[in-house]
Amino acid sequence: MVSAMVCRSAVLGAVTLSLLAVPAQAAPLTAAKGRAATALPAPDTEGLAAVLRSVVAKGAPGAMARIDDGTRVYPLAQGVADRATRRALTTADRFRVGSVTKTFSAVVLLQLVDEHRLALDAPVNRYLPGLLPDDRITVRHVLSHRSGLYDYTDDLFASSVAGFEAVRNKVFTYRQLVDLSLKKPRTNAPGAAYSYSNTNFVVAGLLIEKLTGHSVRTEYENRIFKPLKLDDTFYVHPDTTIPGQHANGYLTADRAGDQPVDATDQTVSWAQSAGAIISSARDLDTFYSALVRGKLTSAARLAEMERFTRVNATTSYGLGLRRRDLSCGISVYGHTGAVQGYYTYAFTTKDGTRSLTALANASNNSDVLNTLATSLEPAFCGKQQSARSAPAPIEREDVAPAAPREQ
C-alpha cells in the first residue's frame, strides 16, 4: 500500500499525504550577484503529490520530492523504499543519482580552469596524450556532449537486466571504458552536433585524476561535498553498498510479468565519474542552488556552464548542466539521472531560490520516467500553470539507455 510521510516520520497504511511546510534549517537563500530574484508562484503541492501517486501507480515502488525555496521545505513521498520490508520511502533516504554526477564532474574541471590548470578549448590529448583518436576533440566538446565519442553503454545495456547482471560487481578502469567506446565509429565530427554519451564524462574523470594527482572521490569531497556540508553525499566506487538509510532501487524486468530486480548493490563501475555518486534530496537541492549562485566557480566559469545548446523543444545542454524550459516561461537548471533502480530529477531556478529534487526508485520503465518528468511543472509553475500544462516530452534514460519497456 502507498504510504505517506512528512520529513522522517512515515506510517504505513491508508493515510492521506501530509503537505506540511517545514521551516528550513538554513537561512533564506539570496540571489547571486547580478541575478534578479525570480517571482515564483507558490508550489502546487497537491499537483506534485498527484504526480508522485501516478509514478507509483505506473510501477515504481516509491516516489518522493523535496522542494526547498530557502524559507520553507516541502517534503512529499509515496510508496516504499524497500519492497521486502515495506518500509516507507522518505525524503531523507539516500539514493544513487546517476547522471546528476556529471554536474559534479563538470564543476571540478571548471574549478581547475579557474586555477589555470586546464583550458576548455584545448585538446583533450594535450592533457591525456594519445587517449583519443582526434586531436580536435576539446575539453569543451567533452563537457557539452559534442565530442562525437560513441556511448559504450548503448552496447552494455542493450538487454537491460542481463547487461546489468554482467557488470553489477565488475570493476572497470577508465581506459577500459574509453576503449569500449573507441571500438565503434564516432557519431559526428568534433563540435558538429550534440550527442549524449557517457564516454565524455569518463574522459572527464580521467582529466580530473591526471591534473590533480588525486582520485575523483578526493576531489569531489574536498571541492564540493565538504565545503557545502553535503553529509549525505558519497562516492564509494568500487564499493557496492549505499551508506546509511537509503532507498532500494528496482530495475524493471525486460519481460512482462517477471519480478523487478533489486539493483541497489552495485559497483556502478561502468559509469564512475559519469554516474556513480550517492546523495539525498536535501543535498542535491543544496548543491544546485549553490552552483547557480556562484558558490562553486567564478562567474566567468558559471557563464561557460550556461552556454547552452538546444537539444529539443524544452531542453538545452551546457557544460554538465541541463536547462529545462517550463510551460509558464520559467527555466530551471540542473540534471536528470538514470541508473539501474533509480530515476532522479534535480533542478533549481536561475537564482537558486527554489530547488526541486524528485526520485523514483525504479528504472527501465518509460511510464515512470515520463511521469516523474512532470514533477517540474507543479514545483516551479504553481497550481494554475501546472493544471493546464502540456504533456512533458518523451524522456530518454541518460545513463542506462536501454529502451525502457512500456508499462
Side-chain angles (χ1 to χ4, degrees), residues 128-146:
L128 298 166
L131 177 71
L132 302 181
D134 193 330
D135 287 339
R136 295 176 298 166
I137 298 174
T138 67
V139 177
R140 187 187 301 276
H141 291 152
V142 164
L143 294 181
S144 60
H145 292 297
R146 293 185 299 118

Side-chain angles (χ1 to χ4, degrees), residues 162-234:
F164 168 64
E165 294 293 5
V167 301
R168 73 181 299 167
N169 294 309
K170 192 168 182 176
V171 178
F172 294 92
T173 67
Y174 283 123
R175 289 182 181 267
Q176 285 174 327
L177 296 175
V178 172
D179 287 345
L180 289 175
S181 169
L182 297 181
K183 289 179 180 178
K184 293 294 184 73
R186 280 172 280 159
T187 58
N188 51 258
Y194 169 91
S195 182
Y196 193 95
S197 174
N198 289 287
T199 309
N200 290 313
F201 280 80
V202 170
V203 173
L206 271 168
L207 285 167
I208 290 169
E209 296 198 344
K210 177 64 178 292
L211 292 168
T212 66
H214 301 140
S215 67
V216 292
R217 177 190 300 186
T218 296
E219 295 302 310
Y220 291 151
E221 289 176 349
N222 291 343
R223 293 173 177 271
I224 305 174
F225 300 173
K226 291 177 182 177
L228 294 182
K229 297 181 172 58
L230 305 183
D231 295 334
D232 294 324
T233 306
F234 306 90

Side-chain angles (χ1 to χ4, degrees), residues 152-172 177 180 251-255 261-263 265-271 339-341 363-364 397 399-403:
Y152 61 88
T153 65
D154 287 336
D155 293 336
L156 285 183
F157 305 118
S159 174
S160 186
V161 174
F164 168 64
E165 294 293 5
V167 301
R168 73 181 299 167
N169 294 309
K170 192 168 182 176
V171 178
F172 294 92
L177 296 175
L180 289 175
L251 176 62
T252 305
D254 292 321
R255 296 188 306 176
V261 175
D262 188 331
D265 292 344
Q266 57 170 305
T267 62
V268 201
S269 193
W270 60 266
V339 64
Q340 292 96 347
S363 69
N364 198 32
E397 298 193 28
V399 171

Side-chain angles (χ1 to χ4, degrees), residues 52-84:
L52 299 182
R53 288 193 296 269
S54 183
V55 168
V56 172
K58 291 178 184 298
M64 62 87 159
R66 181 185 187 273
I67 300 171
D68 186 340
D69 70 2
T71 59
R72 305 175 81 179
V73 171
Y74 303 82
L76 302 88
Q78 291 280 323
V80 299
D82 187 324
R83 294 178 74 244

Side-chain angles (χ1 to χ4, degrees), residues 14-33:
V15 293
T16 303
L17 179 66
S18 298
L19 302 175
L20 301 181
V22 181
Q25 294 180 350
L29 302 179
T30 56
K33 184 177 180 180

